[in-house]
Amino acid sequence: MMIETYQLTKIFTIKKSDDIPAVVDLTLNVREGEVFGFLGPNGAGKTTTIRMLTSLIGPTAGSARVCGYTLGADDQNIRRSVGILTESPGMYDRLSALKNLSIYASLYDVGDVEGQLRKYLQMLGLWSRRDDPVGSFSKGMRQKLAICRALLHEPRVLFLDEPTSGLDPEAARLVRTFIEELRDQGRTIFMCTHNLNEADHLCDRIGIFRTRLIEVDTPQNLRLKLFGRKVVFHLRAVDPAWLSLVGGVPGVQDVAQVENKLLVTAEDPEEINPKIIRALVDAGADVRFVGELRHSLEDIYMQTMNENHTEVAGS
Amino acid sequence: MKHVRTIIDKEWAEVFQNRMVLLTMIFIPVFFVILPLVTLYFTGQGMGGNSPADVADVPAEFLAVCGPDMNAGDCMQVYMVNMFLLLFMMLPVIIPVTIAAYSVVGEKTTRSLEPLLATPISTFELLAGKSLAAAIPAIVTGWGSFAIFLLGLPLIGVSPAVIRYILGPTWLLAVLVAGPLMAIAAVNFALFISSRVDDPRVAEQISVVLVVPILAALFAQLAGIIVIDIFMMLSFIGALALIDIGMIYLGVTIFQRENILTRWK
Ligand SMILES: Nc1ncnc2c1ncn2[C@@H]1O[C@H](COP(=O)(O)OP(=O)(O)OP(=O)(O)O)[C@@H](O)[C@H]1O
Ligand SMILES: [Mg+2]
């Protein structure tokens, strides 16, 4: 395991008797090579979680191990082995891109400074701008530079706090492609994001989180768990009698009609679809086409948040 | 040590890109060198060979400082010079405060503090780097301006007796020992303030209060209440050493990653 947390909790105390629970009882494991997506609304405690896991702030309770090092005991080793893309890039605007990175290369005790700087600046397309002050960079360029900075020391775990927020679609795509590359290299990545498509596409597993962890699973399983698998049958016209006909097919859990479509929920559509089609055709239905209804991660997210709304608000 | 050097290098790279800071760091020392030289030049003139006791403007307590080999003009100059001594002691306080006060809170406002604290640099290395980055230019400009001042003295016709006085123990202790000690105290105080406030300007304003005790001493001397002599200088250095130790101890205890990152007040 690259990241293991056990009942990790952070409570901020602003004034005495005024506590803000930011993260409560977070228990989570992230495997080596896994891309883990951390989803949650604003103020959910995502940044706070990353800050704890990168030894920037100490937990109020609970424990964690990152790269095999214990939080609180081996903080220096944790800092050495993780890379972090902070919420805002935080560059030294007056200094050049190269200077910014070389400061960090030195602080991270990078061996081949020149090679690493060149490698990552070229990878992210910033090599030709390396001598320009970062103050003259666009938001997307800064973000890319910050990603370079997080990678200079070849960290075993990479924490990305909203890597594509505020970027235009093209820049966001570039960053996503880059994250994909990192994933394919087998790097462990823990990323917070509000972009659900991105999470769906990039992440092996997703944790839905609001102060507490609400759900963790692969995007696929989250879909199944929340919605079952749904198949849509597009017909020329729907005879109400067909609803009970389809409902009677063994294995079908639910049938609903939406205009000229039948929405069928079943556990094993591959087995059942042929039977349903045969039944419909025998009953005289014109089946135009059949498709699986894929819920977007957004649906899943909304559903999870709604289900847990009262519980979390009350806690 | 490598990390400390990196921090110093980074602070300087940033500071010296900032014209305003650079100008302050050049203008103030130049002013502090020219002002005494010009004043000495004019006080030296027109006060020929009267005996020191004839100089009415000099407080009586002060006459003891003037040696038997000084005439009234010399004695007047020594009196003036002692005022400027305080100016030279102010230099190592003023110069680093601008850099140090900005140092932590500045990084907070540009959000560069978080990635910096995420690196494996130790908190002590970071603190040391930031302190030295501010203290070194202060000490160097302090000593440098004093050297230029010394070189300028014969040029404006200051008598050897006065130069001997300036090269005496009180002045040398003030510039070589008290100055750096004051720079260290000022830097640590400014860093302490800087990691506690949320606005760089506030940090600078609070830190500048450090100049107040020196100004107080300046006026006290003008009024003839105190005369800076070797005994006073040694006591002052002793007190400064204690203050420095206290400030550094306080800095290291309070300068914690989590505190400076998340506490805004
Ligand atoms: N330094 C701090 N002092 C006090 N409270 C804090 C501090 N940092 C965060 N919090 C509180 O902790 C909670 C979680 O904040 P956090 O920044 O972790 O959320 P987030 O999930 O990253 O949100 P976003 O999506 O907006 O970035 C919020 O209620 C916030 O007000
Ligand atoms: Mg956040």
Side-chain angles (χ1 to χ4, degrees), chain B residues 130-233:
Chain B
K130 285 191 172 279
S131 308
L132 289 172
I136 292 172
I139 294 169
V140 168
T141 31
W143 288 352
S145 342
F146 183 62
I148 297 171
F149 173 67
L150 280 182
L151 292 177
L153 287 174
L155 298 182
I156 58 158
V158 169
S159 79
V162 175
I163 294 184
R164 260 199 306 281
Y165 172 79
I166 293 175
L167 284 175
T170 313
W171 262 82
L172 288 185
L173 279 175
V175 174
L176 296 179
V177 183
L181 287 176
M182 285 180 51
I184 292 170
V187 163
N188 282 288
F189 179 73
L191 276 179
F192 171 73
I193 299 294
S194 187
S195 36
R196 292 260 120 183
V197 297
D198 53 7
D199 185 339
R201 282 163 300 184
V202 175
E204 251 169 62
Q205 279 158 8
I206 298 181
S207 305
V208 163
V209 303
L210 282 176
V211 182
V212 170
I214 306 174
L215 283 179
L218 184 67
F219 288 118
Q221 185 165 249
L222 268 177
I225 301 169
I226 57 164
V227 177
I228 295 178
D229 56 11
I230 180 84
F231 174 72
M232 186 176 286
M233 191 49 70

Side-chain angles (χ1 to χ4, degrees), chain A residues 12 14 20 22 41-48 87 162 194, chain B residues 262:
Chain A
F12 287 107
I14 299 235
I20 301 179
N42 290 126
K46 304 182 295 294
T47 301
T48 304
E87 214 164 8
E162 299 178 27
H194 290 132
Chain B
T262 59

